[in-house]
Amino acid sequence: GGDHGAMSENEDAGRRVACGRKGRVVPLSQIHSLRPSLQPRAWLDVMASAHTTRDDKNEAMQEILILAKDKEISRWFLEEGILDSLMFILSNYFRNYSSFLRDETPPFASESPEPFSSFKSGGEAFYHARLAANCCVALGKAHCAAVHTEGDLLLMSAYSRGSVPVERQLAQMLFEVPHHMKVMDPSRGGACGRDAGVGEAGGGGGGGQPQQQQFDAEFTLTELSMQQAEDLASSIKALDDGKIDV
């Protein structure tokens, strides 16, 4: 219900970080033959795993986009921490893209260099991050439709008429649903933290060593301020539209 924003202290505090997990994952080829009720969990596991590739995660995000049309499933994804992995992908992308723009060598370059072209429109890193943005938008719409319209007919009609801007819905979700964020570790020169490895979770390269290192940093449950949520929503909505705004 409406007490959604205050969940971080109590029930949410015990939630496992849904990013960089080491456990076993159902092979992607087998997920489609699972009972429909088991599929959301399986796709979440693909996103949360440290061992699945970028292509695996792309496939998972395409499935999540379809599943998120169901308000109950969408709510379940948010409660189980899907934002942990989506925001990890997006923050890596924005940070690395900004590094290239400033003509700095991105922090991951020594481990698995990925050319700037990959981050530009049409590149692999761009495609990966855009899918994450698409998922955030779909989840934001479902979240607002579910949480903000209960018992509020005026709001409900505003949402069903499409008169609440998508960016506003996205900001609302980011503000109300805390997610685990990578903490920077200055003592290691940013080698861990959210900088580490654009290949996030072994995105198609890099062997075993570097990709594991980035998950050694601590994740912290983070509640964004409204201003932070709005800034982030504006960048994510731009990416959802195929534009880059960092």
Side-chain angles (χ1 to χ4, degrees):
D3 57 348
H4 221 63
M7 68 188 196
S8 62
E9 297 313 319
N10 343 348
E11 75 243 42
D12 208 53
R15 177 169 75 65
R16 281 203 307 153
V17 179
C19 189
R21 289 183 187 165
K22 313 287 197 298
R24 211 183 132 275
V25 172
V26 176
L28 272 73
S29 58
Q30 292 171 26
I31 295 180
H32 294 284
S33 54
L34 291 174
R35 285 206 313 277
S37 62
L38 299 176
Q39 291 184 17
R41 159 72 61 202
W43 292 119
L44 179 87
D45 287 346
V46 170
M47 292 301 294
S49 172
H51 303 303
T52 48
T53 65
R54 180 184 283 176
D55 286 345
D56 292 342
K57 288 184 167 68
N58 286 347
E59 186 176 336
M61 288 189 282
Q62 285 162 341
E63 294 296 328
I64 287 167
L65 271 176
I66 298 164
L67 291 167
K69 292 191 169 82
D70 178 308
K71 276 198 296 214
E72 284 310 306
I73 294 178
S74 201
R75 186 192 295 240
W76 179 87
F77 272 126
L78 289 173
E79 285 170 356
E80 290 294 316
I82 189 66
L83 288 184
D84 294 357
S85 57
L86 293 175
M87 298 310 295
F88 183 66
I89 291 168
L90 286 162
S91 59
N92 268 331
Y93 175 80
F94 292 137
R95 177 169 282 110
N96 287 313
Y97 188 88
S98 301
S99 297
F100 274 117
L101 283 188
R102 290 194 306 267
D103 252 3
E104 296 166 7
T105 306
F108 63 83
S110 57
E111 290 170 355
S112 57
E114 186 161 15
F116 190 19
S117 57
S118 176
F119 294 85
K120 292 179 177 168
S121 188
E124 280 187 29
F126 171 84
Y127 177 72
H128 188 54
R130 185 174 181 182
L131 269 175
N134 299 154
C135 286
C136 283
V137 165
L139 291 162
K141 286 178 177 174
H143 171 77
C144 287
V147 173
H148 288 280
T149 56
E150 283 167 13
D152 190 333
L153 294 174
L154 200 65
L155 255 181
M156 194 179 289
S157 69
Y159 280 108
S160 60
R161 286 198 316 272
S163 55
V164 177
V166 171
E167 195 176 307
R168 170 81 257 142
Q169 298 184 52
L170 193 50
Q172 205 64 40
M173 174 188 74
L174 292 171
F175 176 66
E176 290 171 5
V177 183
H179 65 277
H180 288 92
M181 207 180 256
K182 213 39 144 347
V183 180
M184 303 295 285
D185 181 355
S187 67
R188 286 176 53 187
C192 70
R194 278 150 54 210
D195 285 336
V198 66
E200 59 78 33
Q209 183 50 38
Q211 75 193 48
Q212 210 44 60
Q213 194 179 10
Q214 63 187 310
F215 293 117
D216 295 343
E218 286 299 308
F219 277 90
T220 306
L221 193 63
T222 308
E223 292 185 314
L224 301 178
S225 69
M226 199 53 178
Q227 187 58 58
Q228 289 171 315
E230 284 169 359
D231 293 345
L232 206 45
S234 134
S235 293
I236 293 173
K237 179 65 180 94
L239 196 53
D240 176 60
D241 293 333
K243 299 192 279 285
I244 303 169
D245 166 30
V246 291

